[in-house]
Amino acid sequence: SSGINAEWPLRPGALWGKGDARWIVEEREDAKNVNNWHWSEVDASVPSKKFFKEKFLELGESGTEGSVRISEVTKCDGEASVNNRKGKVIYFFEWNIELKWCGKTATSNDNITGKIEIENISEENSEDDVDITTRQTKNGNEHTKLHQIVKSQLAPKCRAIIGDYIKYLQVTHGKQVVLPTKKGEGINSQPSKSKAAPPMSSIKQKMSETVISSKPTESVENKRTDINLNDGFLCRVDDLFHCFVNPDKMKAYFNGAADVDPREGGKFSMLGGMISGTYLEIKPNESIQWHWRFNDWPANTYSTVTLKFKDTGTSTELTLNQVGVPQYSVEQIKSGWYKYYFNAIKRTFGYGSGTL
């Protein structure tokens, strides 16, 4: 036996010059790699370095303790390329970046410096997996004050830039490797009408399933902003602090809808997955930092939430700073903080009335 099923219908080859629809050459005489269908590649290394430099040098923060900014991109090692293989756009990139920060405190004119190291930026890792390390050049109270601003506010914005870099590759370079057809339509130019896929865990997956639009436009979903809130609670600092790290207390004011692993690196999910994220830093009775997202945000979109607790003597003041919130959902998120957290805590534990 030759191994060929004689009953399987053998389809004749496409006939050249006979109008056979299987020819995709569209009247091209050479019939080679039409519209970059079979292969094409764009080296995005140089423009990527320019992107990183421009974006990082825009970063700065100021507050009551002082102000800091990124003054220099001291290292940007790596490469990036965008490839097309038979209509599928594939991204390859790997970067290690080092930034210099500088600033001054509100009580000193000394120029204080440090650095931010960003490692493992690649298509294999999600933006949440990228390692970001902040350092101060010297020890001392003034240096530590500014270092805390860098750690809590600049570092999350650096992570957001890595997410923006993904979109940059898609919009700026992805379309270059998939050329328009005779009718002016790009391969994969029409978005799928199927159900949206669940959030993807890696940049590589996200890239491989991206639809390259023939007319990219800046989406409202891509615009980010910050939220700053504060509220007072009639309780001791430790009582309020435990409302954000004690699983039993959290289940109480979320009516049982809370799955919490309260340790640095631990995950949390509330309200049936409506809210989810990771504990980044826990300083008992002082502050908590979360990687936090709402489930209707675009896939792989996270904000950084910092909670600070202050004993006023007669109550506990809670200050919330949330960096990287999609602009379209700001009012919804603000309302949610009061409805599901602040007011729910006061109602459940009586922290809105009475005495300490």
Side-chain angles (χ1 to χ4, degrees):
S1 173
S2 63
I4 298 176
N5 186 347
E7 295 182 358
W8 188 264
L10 298 179
R11 191 178 183 188
L15 300 176
W16 174 260
K18 300 296 183 180
D20 195 309
R22 283 170 287 166
W23 280 104
I24 63 170
V25 297
E26 300 197 35
E27 300 176 2
R28 279 277 299 273
E29 293 183 359
D30 57 8
K32 294 180 181 179
N33 199 33
V34 179
N35 300 316
N36 287 346
W37 170 255
H38 294 293
W39 70 89
S40 59
E41 179 174 333
V42 171
D43 185 350
S45 299
V46 173
S48 291
K49 290 183 178 181
K50 181 180 179 182
F51 171 89
F52 285 130
K53 185 174 181 180
E54 290 178 350
K55 293 295 182 180
F56 285 125
L57 290 179
E58 292 176 354
L59 295 184
E61 281 293 336
S62 61
T64 56
E65 296 290 348
S67 60
V68 294
R69 65 181 177 86
I70 301 300
S71 60
E72 185 180 355
V73 179
T74 53
K75 183 175 79 172
C76 188
D77 294 341
E79 59 183 351
S81 64
V82 184
N83 302 264
N84 169 37
R85 294 292 183 269
K86 295 187 176 181
K88 183 178 181 181
V89 180
I90 305 171
Y91 302 77
F92 298 99
F93 57 91
E94 185 173 0
W95 296 99
N96 289 308
I97 296 172
E98 185 177 292
L99 311 172
K100 179 181 178 181
W101 62 264
C102 67
K104 296 181 179 180
T105 65
T107 57
S108 172
N109 287 323
D110 293 341
N111 189 39
I112 296 172
T113 63
K115 64 181 180 179
I116 301 175
E117 297 171 349
I118 310 174
E119 299 178 320
N120 299 324
I121 305 170
S122 81
E123 79 282 352
E124 295 288 347
N125 297 322
S126 72
E127 61 189 271
D128 307 322
D129 297 327
V130 171
D131 297 326
I132 299 181
T133 305
T134 63
R135 305 182 191 279
Q136 59 193 66
T137 305
K138 297 179 181 179
N139 293 324
N141 187 45
E142 301 298 314
H143 292 75
T144 301
K145 285 181 181 179
L146 292 190
H147 184 203
Q148 285 301 317
I149 297 176
V150 172
K151 186 176 182 180
S152 64
Q153 298 184 51
L154 279 193
K157 291 190 174 183
C158 289
R159 195 178 297 278
I161 286 176
I162 304 305
D164 292 340
Y165 175 63
I166 302 168
K167 301 180 184 72
Y168 161 77
L169 285 180
Q170 293 169 352
V171 173
T172 305
H173 299 291
K175 65 178 182 178
Q176 295 179 11
V177 297
V178 183
L179 301 181
T181 64
K182 182 180 178 181
K183 296 180 181 180
E185 298 173 348
I187 296 172
N188 290 341
S189 63
Q190 297 300 319
S192 170
K193 294 183 179 180
S194 60
K195 283 187 176 181
M200 290 166 272
S201 60
S202 73
I203 290 175
K204 188 172 184 180
Q205 287 175 294
K206 183 177 181 181
M207 291 294 196
S208 66
E209 297 182 12
T210 297
V211 175
I212 304 300
S213 171
S214 58
K215 293 182 179 180
T217 58
E218 183 181 5
S219 170
V220 174
E221 293 181 345
N222 296 336
K223 295 181 179 179
R224 307 279 192 95
T225 189
D226 300 348
I227 291 175
N228 292 286
L229 303 173
N230 66 285
D231 202 353
F233 298 78
L234 292 174
C235 63
R236 296 189 300 268
V237 169
D238 60 332
D239 289 331
L240 183 60
F241 183 85
H242 280 95
C243 288
F244 296 91
V245 296
N246 184 300
D248 291 333
K249 281 198 167 187
M250 297 182 78
K251 287 178 181 178
Y253 65 82
F254 274 111
N255 293 319
D259 184 9
V260 185
D261 182 9
R263 57 193 174 90
E264 293 187 354
K267 305 292 184 181
F268 61 82
S269 177
M270 269 80 84
L271 300 174
M274 182 184 295
I275 299 166
S276 61
T278 305
Y279 283 88
L280 299 179
E281 184 180 73
I282 300 175
K283 292 184 177 180
N285 300 334
E286 292 184 14
S287 65
I288 297 170
Q289 191 172 80
W290 287 327
H291 216 34
W292 191 100
R293 68 172 269 111
F294 193 69
N295 70 345
D296 78 341
W297 290 357
N300 290 329
T301 297
Y302 283 82
S303 66
T304 299
V305 174
T306 302
L307 302 173
K308 293 186 177 181
F309 304 80
K310 182 180 179 181
D311 183 356
T312 68
T314 57
S315 64
T316 298
E317 181 181 346
L318 175 63
T319 302
L320 179 147
N321 171 251
Q322 187 170 11
V323 177
V325 178
Q327 199 169 68
Y328 71 89
S329 71
V330 167
E331 294 306 316
Q332 178 189 30
I333 299 303
K334 282 183 178 179
S335 175
W337 281 115
Y338 285 99
K339 179 178 180 180
Y340 295 111
Y341 285 89
F342 302 167
N343 294 342
I345 289 172
K346 292 177 181 179
R347 183 176 61 251
T348 303
F349 303 110
Y351 293 164
S353 61
T355 58
L356 295 183

PDB file of all heavy atoms in Angstrom, residues 231-234 240 243 253 338 341-353:
ATOM      1  N   ASP A 231      -9.655  59.294  53.979  1.00  0.00           N
ATOM      2  CA  ASP A 231     -10.845  59.160  54.800  1.00  0.00           C
ATOM      3  C   ASP A 231     -10.415  58.928  56.243  1.00  0.00           C
ATOM      4  O   ASP A 231      -9.276  58.509  56.503  1.00  0.00           O
ATOM      5  CB  ASP A 231     -11.705  57.991  54.314  1.00  0.00           C
ATOM      6  CG  ASP A 231     -13.163  58.107  54.740  1.00  0.00           C
ATOM      7  OD1 ASP A 231     -13.471  59.022  55.528  1.00  0.00           O
ATOM      8  OD2 ASP A 231     -13.975  57.285  54.282  1.00  0.00           O
ATOM      9  N   GLY A 232     -11.301  59.226  57.181  1.00  0.00           N
ATOM     10  CA  GLY A 232     -11.004  59.052  58.594  1.00  0.00           C
ATOM     11  C   GLY A 232     -11.837  57.932  59.201  1.00  0.00           C
ATOM     12  O   GLY A 232     -13.010  57.748  58.843  1.00  0.00           O
ATOM     13  N   PHE A 233     -11.246  57.198  60.127  1.00  0.00           N
ATOM     14  CA  PHE A 233     -11.915  56.075  60.782  1.00  0.00           C
ATOM     15  C   PHE A 233     -11.748  56.201  62.294  1.00  0.00           C
ATOM     16  O   PHE A 233     -10.633  56.456  62.783  1.00  0.00           O
ATOM     17  CB  PHE A 233     -11.334  54.745  60.304  1.00  0.00           C
ATOM     18  CG  PHE A 233     -11.516  54.496  58.842  1.00  0.00           C
ATOM     19  CD1 PHE A 233     -10.698  55.124  57.900  1.00  0.00           C
ATOM     20  CD2 PHE A 233     -12.493  53.630  58.398  1.00  0.00           C
ATOM     21  CE1 PHE A 233     -10.870  54.894  56.542  1.00  0.00           C
ATOM     22  CE2 PHE A 233     -12.668  53.396  57.042  1.00  0.00           C
ATOM     23  CZ  PHE A 233     -11.859  54.035  56.116  1.00  0.00           C
ATOM     24  N   LEU A 234     -12.816  56.016  63.042  1.00  0.00           N
ATOM     25  CA  LEU A 234     -12.771  56.099  64.498  1.00  0.00           C
ATOM     26  C   LEU A 234     -12.351  54.744  65.070  1.00  0.00           C
ATOM     27  O   LEU A 234     -13.171  53.971  65.580  1.00  0.00           O
ATOM     28  CB  LEU A 234     -14.134  56.536  65.038  1.00  0.00           C
ATOM     29  CG  LEU A 234     -14.529  57.980  64.702  1.00  0.00           C
ATOM     30  CD1 LEU A 234     -15.950  58.263  65.141  1.00  0.00           C
ATOM     31  CD2 LEU A 234     -13.551  58.955  65.352  1.00  0.00           C
ATOM     32  N   LEU A 240      -7.573  49.293  61.891  1.00  0.00           N
ATOM     33  CA  LEU A 240      -7.846  49.600  60.490  1.00  0.00           C
ATOM     34  C   LEU A 240      -6.886  48.848  59.575  1.00  0.00           C
ATOM     35  O   LEU A 240      -7.288  48.318  58.530  1.00  0.00           O
ATOM     36  CB  LEU A 240      -7.743  51.106  60.242  1.00  0.00           C
ATOM     37  CG  LEU A 240      -8.079  51.560  58.822  1.00  0.00           C
ATOM     38  CD1 LEU A 240      -9.496  51.173  58.446  1.00  0.00           C
ATOM     39  CD2 LEU A 240      -7.879  53.064  58.670  1.00  0.00           C
ATOM     40  N   CYS A 243      -7.877  45.444  58.683  1.00  0.00           N
ATOM     41  CA  CYS A 243      -9.001  45.337  57.746  1.00  0.00           C
ATOM     42  C   CYS A 243      -8.537  45.087  56.313  1.00  0.00           C
ATOM     43  O   CYS A 243      -9.340  44.727  55.450  1.00  0.00           O
ATOM     44  CB  CYS A 243      -9.846  46.615  57.788  1.00  0.00           C
ATOM     45  SG  CYS A 243     -10.819  46.782  59.304  1.00  0.00           S
ATOM     46  N   TYR A 253     -16.458  42.270  55.744  1.00  0.00           N
ATOM     47  CA  TYR A 253     -17.048  43.441  55.084  1.00  0.00           C
ATOM     48  C   TYR A 253     -17.277  43.243  53.590  1.00  0.00           C
ATOM     49  O   TYR A 253     -17.969  44.030  52.951  1.00  0.00           O
ATOM     50  CB  TYR A 253     -16.250  44.723  55.372  1.00  0.00           C
ATOM     51  CG  TYR A 253     -14.842  44.827  54.842  1.00  0.00           C
ATOM     52  CD1 TYR A 253     -14.588  45.213  53.532  1.00  0.00           C
ATOM     53  CD2 TYR A 253     -13.746  44.614  55.681  1.00  0.00           C
ATOM     54  CE1 TYR A 253     -13.292  45.365  53.068  1.00  0.00           C
ATOM     55  CE2 TYR A 253     -12.446  44.759  55.222  1.00  0.00           C
ATOM     56  CZ  TYR A 253     -12.221  45.127  53.912  1.00  0.00           C
ATOM     57  OH  TYR A 253     -10.934  45.280  53.455  1.00  0.00           O
ATOM     58  N   TYR A 338     -15.162  53.684  48.141  1.00  0.00           N
ATOM     59  CA  TYR A 338     -16.022  54.044  49.261  1.00  0.00           C
ATOM     60  C   TYR A 338     -17.091  52.983  49.527  1.00  0.00           C
ATOM     61  O   TYR A 338     -17.342  52.606  50.681  1.00  0.00           O
ATOM     62  CB  TYR A 338     -16.677  55.406  49.009  1.00  0.00           C
ATOM     63  CG  TYR A 338     -15.717  56.560  49.185  1.00  0.00           C
ATOM     64  CD1 TYR A 338     -15.107  57.165  48.093  1.00  0.00           C
ATOM     65  CD2 TYR A 338     -15.417  57.031  50.464  1.00  0.00           C
ATOM     66  CE1 TYR A 338     -14.207  58.213  48.260  1.00  0.00           C
ATOM     67  CE2 TYR A 338     -14.525  58.078  50.644  1.00  0.00           C
ATOM     68  CZ  TYR A 338     -13.923  58.663  49.531  1.00  0.00           C
ATOM     69  OH  TYR A 338     -13.031  59.699  49.707  1.00  0.00           O
ATOM     70  N   TYR A 341     -15.068  49.297  50.240  1.00  0.00           N
ATOM     71  CA  TYR A 341     -14.010  49.294  51.252  1.00  0.00           C
ATOM     72  C   TYR A 341     -14.349  50.231  52.412  1.00  0.00           C
ATOM     73  O   TYR A 341     -14.701  49.774  53.509  1.00  0.00           O
ATOM     74  CB  TYR A 341     -12.673  49.706  50.630  1.00  0.00           C
ATOM     75  CG  TYR A 341     -12.016  48.647  49.770  1.00  0.00           C
ATOM     76  CD1 TYR A 341     -12.286  48.560  48.414  1.00  0.00           C
ATOM     77  CD2 TYR A 341     -11.093  47.746  50.312  1.00  0.00           C
ATOM     78  CE1 TYR A 341     -11.665  47.600  47.627  1.00  0.00           C
ATOM     79  CE2 TYR A 341     -10.463  46.784  49.535  1.00  0.00           C
ATOM     80  CZ  TYR A 341     -10.754  46.719  48.183  1.00  0.00           C
ATOM     81  OH  TYR A 341     -10.145  45.766  47.417  1.00  0.00           O
ATOM     82  N   PHE A 342     -14.224  51.538  52.208  1.00  0.00           N
ATOM     83  CA  PHE A 342     -14.283  52.495  53.308  1.00  0.00           C
ATOM     84  C   PHE A 342     -15.617  52.434  54.071  1.00  0.00           C
ATOM     85  O   PHE A 342     -15.648  52.231  55.291  1.00  0.00           O
ATOM     86  CB  PHE A 342     -14.051  53.916  52.803  1.00  0.00           C
ATOM     87  CG  PHE A 342     -12.748  54.121  52.084  1.00  0.00           C
ATOM     88  CD1 PHE A 342     -12.518  55.275  51.353  1.00  0.00           C
ATOM     89  CD2 PHE A 342     -11.735  53.165  52.139  1.00  0.00           C
ATOM     90  CE1 PHE A 342     -11.308  55.474  50.696  1.00  0.00           C
ATOM     91  CE2 PHE A 342     -10.532  53.350  51.494  1.00  0.00           C
ATOM     92  CZ  PHE A 342     -10.320  54.510  50.755  1.00  0.00           C
ATOM     93  N   ASN A 343     -16.723  52.625  53.361  1.00  0.00           N
ATOM     94  CA  ASN A 343     -18.026  52.628  54.024  1.00  0.00           C
ATOM     95  C   ASN A 343     -18.396  51.243  54.543  1.00  0.00           C
ATOM     96  O   ASN A 343     -19.049  51.124  55.593  1.00  0.00           O
ATOM     97  CB  ASN A 343     -19.103  53.152  53.077  1.00  0.00           C
ATOM     98  CG  ASN A 343     -18.910  54.619  52.726  1.00  0.00           C
ATOM     99  OD1 ASN A 343     -18.194  55.335  53.434  1.00  0.00           O
ATOM    100  ND2 ASN A 343     -19.524  55.069  51.643  1.00  0.00           N
ATOM    101  N   ALA A 344     -17.998  50.210  53.810  1.00  0.00           N
ATOM    102  CA  ALA A 344     -18.293  48.839  54.255  1.00  0.00           C
ATOM    103  C   ALA A 344     -17.561  48.519  55.553  1.00  0.00           C
ATOM    104  O   ALA A 344     -18.107  47.854  56.446  1.00  0.00           O
ATOM    105  CB  ALA A 344     -17.904  47.849  53.166  1.00  0.00           C
ATOM    106  N   ILE A 345     -16.318  48.985  55.690  1.00  0.00           N
ATOM    107  CA  ILE A 345     -15.545  48.780  56.928  1.00  0.00           C
ATOM    108  C   ILE A 345     -16.204  49.510  58.094  1.00  0.00           C
ATOM    109  O   ILE A 345     -16.357  48.962  59.185  1.00  0.00           O
ATOM    110  CB  ILE A 345     -14.092  49.253  56.728  1.00  0.00           C
ATOM    111  CG1 ILE A 345     -13.342  48.286  55.798  1.00  0.00           C
ATOM    112  CG2 ILE A 345     -13.368  49.362  58.069  1.00  0.00           C
ATOM    113  CD1 ILE A 345     -11.971  48.766  55.381  1.00  0.00           C
ATOM    114  N   LYS A 346     -16.606  50.759  57.857  1.00  0.00           N
ATOM    115  CA  LYS A 346     -17.249  51.530  58.924  1.00  0.00           C
ATOM    116  C   LYS A 346     -18.565  50.883  59.354  1.00  0.00           C
ATOM    117  O   LYS A 346     -18.874  50.796  60.552  1.00  0.00           O
ATOM    118  CB  LYS A 346     -17.513  52.961  58.438  1.00  0.00           C
ATOM    119  CG  LYS A 346     -16.258  53.783  58.221  1.00  0.00           C
ATOM    120  CD  LYS A 346     -16.598  55.164  57.672  1.00  0.00           C
ATOM    121  CE  LYS A 346     -15.343  55.994  57.431  1.00  0.00           C
ATOM    122  NZ  LYS A 346     -15.649  57.324  56.890  1.00  0.00           N
ATOM    123  N   ARG A 347     -19.328  50.436  58.387  1.00  0.00           N
ATOM    124  CA  ARG A 347     -20.630  49.828  58.689  1.00  0.00           C
ATOM    125  C   ARG A 347     -20.471  48.492  59.421  1.00  0.00           C
ATOM    126  O   ARG A 347     -21.194  48.201  60.381  1.00  0.00           O
ATOM    127  CB  ARG A 347     -21.398  49.620  57.387  1.00  0.00           C
ATOM    128  CG  ARG A 347     -22.800  49.060  57.564  1.00  0.00           C
ATOM    129  CD  ARG A 347     -23.529  48.984  56.251  1.00  0.00           C
ATOM    130  NE  ARG A 347     -22.858  48.119  55.290  1.00  0.00           N
ATOM    131  CZ  ARG A 347     -22.232  48.566  54.205  1.00  0.00           C
ATOM    132  NH1 ARG A 347     -22.171  49.867  53.959  1.00  0.00           N
ATOM    133  NH2 ARG A 347     -21.641  47.728  53.379  1.00  0.00           N
ATOM    134  N   THR A 348     -19.499  47.683  58.978  1.00  0.00           N
ATOM    135  CA  THR A 348     -19.330  46.345  59.547  1.00  0.00           C
ATOM    136  C   THR A 348     -18.763  46.380  60.957  1.00  0.00           C
ATOM    137  O   THR A 348     -19.203  45.641  61.841  1.00  0.00           O
ATOM    138  CB  THR A 348     -18.410  45.495  58.648  1.00  0.00           C
ATOM    139  OG1 THR A 348     -18.971  45.435  57.328  1.00  0.00           O
ATOM    140  CG2 THR A 348     -18.262  44.084  59.187  1.00  0.00           C
ATOM    141  N   PHE A 349     -17.774  47.279  61.189  1.00  0.00           N
ATOM    142  CA  PHE A 349     -17.067  47.279  62.478  1.00  0.00           C
ATOM    143  C   PHE A 349     -17.374  48.486  63.350  1.00  0.00           C
ATOM    144  O   PHE A 349     -16.821  48.629  64.446  1.00  0.00           O
ATOM    145  CB  PHE A 349     -15.548  47.183  62.231  1.00  0.00           C
ATOM    146  CG  PHE A 349     -15.139  45.991  61.425  1.00  0.00           C
ATOM    147  CD1 PHE A 349     -14.665  46.142  60.119  1.00  0.00           C
ATOM    148  CD2 PHE A 349     -15.258  44.707  61.940  1.00  0.00           C
ATOM    149  CE1 PHE A 349     -14.307  45.032  59.370  1.00  0.00           C
ATOM    150  CE2 PHE A 349     -14.886  43.600  61.200  1.00  0.00           C
ATOM    151  CZ  PHE A 349     -14.419  43.758  59.895  1.00  0.00           C
ATOM    152  N   GLY A 350     -18.236  49.370  62.879  1.00  0.00           N
ATOM    153  CA  GLY A 350     -18.603  50.533  63.679  1.00  0.00           C
ATOM    154  C   GLY A 350     -17.520  51.572  63.782  1.00  0.00           C
ATOM    155  O   GLY A 350     -17.465  52.338  64.755  1.00  0.00           O
ATOM    156  N   TYR A 351     -16.650  51.662  62.742  1.00  0.00           N
ATOM    157  CA  TYR A 351     -15.534  52.604  62.778  1.00  0.00           C
ATOM    158  C   TYR A 351     -15.928  54.003  62.290  1.00  0.00           C
ATOM    159  O   TYR A 351     -15.075  54.878  62.170  1.00  0.00           O
ATOM    160  CB  TYR A 351     -14.374  52.092  61.941  1.00  0.00           C
ATOM    161  CG  TYR A 351     -13.717  50.838  62.516  1.00  0.00           C
ATOM    162  CD1 TYR A 351     -12.872  50.055  61.724  1.00  0.00           C
ATOM    163  CD2 TYR A 351     -13.930  50.436  63.823  1.00  0.00           C
ATOM    164  CE1 TYR A 351     -12.268  48.912  62.217  1.00  0.00           C
ATOM    165  CE2 TYR A 351     -13.347  49.302  64.334  1.00  0.00           C
ATOM    166  CZ  TYR A 351     -12.510  48.533  63.517  1.00  0.00           C
ATOM    167  OH  TYR A 351     -11.926  47.400  64.023  1.00  0.00           O
ATOM    168  N   GLY A 352     -17.217  54.199  62.020  1.00  0.00           N
ATOM    169  CA  GLY A 352     -17.655  55.519  61.563  1.00  0.00           C
ATOM    170  C   GLY A 352     -18.267  56.334  62.670  1.00  0.00           C
ATOM    171  O   GLY A 352     -18.632  57.486  62.465  1.00  0.00           O
ATOM    172  N   SER A 353     -18.413  55.744  63.858  1.00  0.00           N
ATOM    173  CA  SER A 353     -19.016  56.475  64.974  1.00  0.00           C
ATOM    174  C   SER A 353     -18.482  55.922  66.275  1.00  0.00           C
ATOM    175  O   SER A 353     -17.841  54.869  66.307  1.00  0.00           O
ATOM    176  CB  SER A 353     -20.553  56.320  64.933  1.00  0.00           C
ATOM    177  OG  SER A 353     -20.901  54.949  65.065  1.00  0.00           O
TER     178      SER A 353
END
